[in-house]
Amino acid sequence: NAAKGTDPVYVDSKVKAVLVDEASQAWSALSFALDASFPKLERLHLFGDNHQLPPVLSAEGNNHYYPKSLFDVTKERHTLHHLTIQHRMPVVLAKLISKEVYKGKICSGPHVSTATNAVIWKNCTNGIQEHPANSPGSKSWVNKMEAQMVCELIEELDSNIPDDWACAVLTPYLAQR
């Protein structure tokens, strides 16, 4: 509704500046909605990281990936200002990501954990990536050996971590959950 100008919040809006967080995930057509929603818009501030998640529009459970985000389209025409200090990841992980993704341009802030055991690499060299048998035509993958390795690691961690900690397993594959 906001794109059509019918949302009461935005009709005759006096908004002159809009900030869009995670702009690398916003699809480029959002620019038309912003134009229609904020007719007096003078400044658009986009915050995001084009090295992270791509734009996705989910329609009835089907994800549609767009080749260019609002961030990508804008960066082609305007100067980018890169943030180079990170304040969340342990230093050992930040150094790896800085080297492999950001060409060594990211540094850690002064209050970041320097624990050296923050990253543990487990290489599952004998695992086989396959589409799940119960989901013909699925674009997702499953690796049973890798899943077993993760379960064993969780059991090991569970007996060694403090009670007030939580553990999360992240996987990009729906079938692997």
Side-chain angles (χ1 to χ4, degrees), residues 6-55:
T6 59
D7 191 315
V9 174
Y10 301 114
V11 172
D12 297 323
S13 175
K14 295 180 182 179
V15 173
K16 292 186 178 186
V18 169
L19 286 75
V20 179
D21 191 15
E22 299 296 347
S24 62
Q25 294 179 44
W27 46 293
S28 54
L30 178 63
S31 62
F32 299 113
L34 290 170
D35 237 6
S37 298
F38 306 107
K40 297 180 181 178
L41 185 64
E42 292 178 14
R43 296 193 69 149
L44 177 62
H45 300 271
L46 303 175
F47 297 88
D49 185 340
N50 59 322
H51 295 290
Q52 291 184 6
L53 297 173

Side-chain angles (χ1 to χ4, degrees), residues 58-133:
S58 184
E60 298 175 4
N62 296 316
N63 291 335
H64 303 281
Y65 297 89
Y66 287 83
K68 286 193 175 184
S69 69
L70 177 60
F71 189 80
D72 291 330
V73 171
T74 305
K75 77 177 185 172
E76 292 170 0
R77 299 183 186 117
H78 300 281
T79 303
L80 294 180
H81 299 281
H82 296 277
L83 302 178
T84 58
I85 300 175
Q86 71 86 23
H87 298 277
R88 295 184 289 198
M89 292 181 280
V91 173
V92 66
L93 180 57
K95 281 182 179 180
L96 172 71
I97 292 172
S98 179
K99 177 185 172 198
E100 297 297 325
V101 179
Y102 300 101
K103 300 177 183 167
K105 296 178 183 175
I106 305 296
C107 299
S108 295
H111 303 291
V112 177
S113 170
T114 56
T116 57
N117 63 348
V119 177
I120 300 169
W121 292 105
K122 297 285 187 176
N123 191 1
C124 185
T125 56
N126 297 325
I128 299 171
Q129 299 278 29
E130 57 190 1
H131 289 289

